[in-house]
Amino acid sequence: MTALAPARSTRRLVLAGASVLLVALGLVALMVVRPSAASPSGASSQSAPAEDSVDAGFARDMAIHHQQAVEMSFIVRDRTDDEDVRRLAYDIINTQANQRGMMLGWLEMWGLAKSAAGPPMKWMGHTFTPTDDGSLMPGMATDAELAALTAAKDEKAEILFLRLMTVHHRAGADMAQAAAGAARTDAIRNLAEGMVRGQQSEIGLMADMLKDRGAKP
């Protein structure tokens, strides 16, 4: 494994993210111009949320959260031949890159900045101060943990990835649960509800995979 692998992974993520964002913008445009058939107040529910809304805050923070999950998945994919771990990594890359593109697309359509001016998590009623070790939000891996994952191989890399991603998913599911209950737009509520189900399912899967390797979460 060469030292250039993380850089190649990052470039792949940027290119994939750009393509997903273009598709997402098209889908969002259709959602914005067509009122929701499920609600008599569809036009209101699809109007642009405020700058300090739950919808905007969640989209910004979860886009960052997802970006690291995709990064870790690219790393482990290149450091193990285990098909189960590689399949999980592939699923996370595709699912979370797509969701990230959708959230950035909505922010674009709403005419809102894609990054927050203040600290993260404010939309949840509290703030989180990014730590000096590189962790930007709850559940996110530190710089040292990412370096350890990059240096690991085979089963050691698998176990570290599964542990880091379990913590990452738990925090992400908590964020999504909060957004599902407080967001104003159907788009964010529906996406957040799907994230909760998907990430909780993967947490269970990763617990089984760790057990198979004789490791604890």
Side-chain angles (χ1 to χ4, degrees), residues 146-204:
L146 289 177
L149 180 60
T150 301
K153 292 183 180 180
D154 301 323
E155 189 173 74
K156 184 176 180 181
E158 296 162 17
I159 291 173
L160 183 54
F161 169 76
L162 293 169
R163 285 174 170 165
L164 291 175
M165 194 59 73
T166 296
V167 174
H168 202 277
H169 269 21
R170 284 173 179 160
D174 287 344
M175 292 169 63
Q177 188 70 61
R184 187 171 61 86
T185 62
D186 293 338
I188 291 295
R189 283 198 302 271
N190 293 338
L191 179 64
E193 289 170 359
M195 285 182 188
V196 173
R197 292 191 297 270
Q199 296 198 17
Q200 288 179 340
S201 176
E202 287 182 346
I203 288 170

Side-chain angles (χ1 to χ4, degrees), residues 12-159:
R12 286 194 294 267
L13 173 57
V14 170
L15 292 173
S19 299
V20 169
L21 178 55
L22 290 174
V23 174
L25 285 171
L27 294 173
V28 172
L30 292 174
M31 293 175 66
V32 170
V33 299
R34 185 176 66 182
S36 172
S39 170
S41 59
S44 174
S45 67
Q46 295 301 324
S47 61
E51 177 72 26
D52 61 351
S53 64
V54 168
D55 306 71
F58 172 77
R60 290 169 180 143
D61 285 352
M62 190 57 81
I64 294 171
H65 216 264
H66 272 17
Q67 183 175 5
Q68 189 186 72
V70 173
E71 178 186 357
M72 290 194 294
S73 298
F74 269 125
I75 293 173
V76 78
R77 188 200 64 174
D78 295 336
R79 282 156 178 77
T80 179
D81 292 327
D82 184 88
E83 287 302 319
D84 290 335
V85 173
R86 287 173 60 87
R87 188 179 301 111
L88 174 62
Y90 181 82
D91 288 345
I92 292 172
I93 289 167
N94 282 274
T95 299
Q96 298 208 13
N98 180 61
Q99 291 175 343
R100 183 173 183 272
M102 292 174 66
M103 291 183 286
L104 294 177
W106 286 324
L107 289 168
E108 179 78 19
M109 294 301 300
W110 291 333
L112 300 176
K114 296 183 181 66
S115 58
M121 314 301 289
K122 187 175 181 180
W123 60 273
M124 287 184 69
H126 60 81
T127 58
F128 178 83
T129 302
T131 59
D132 293 336
D133 59 11
S135 179
L136 302 179
M137 272 177 272
M140 292 187 69
T142 65
D143 292 339
E145 288 170 334
L146 289 177
L149 180 60
T150 301
K153 292 183 180 180
D154 301 323
E155 189 173 74
K156 184 176 180 181
E158 296 162 17
I159 291 173

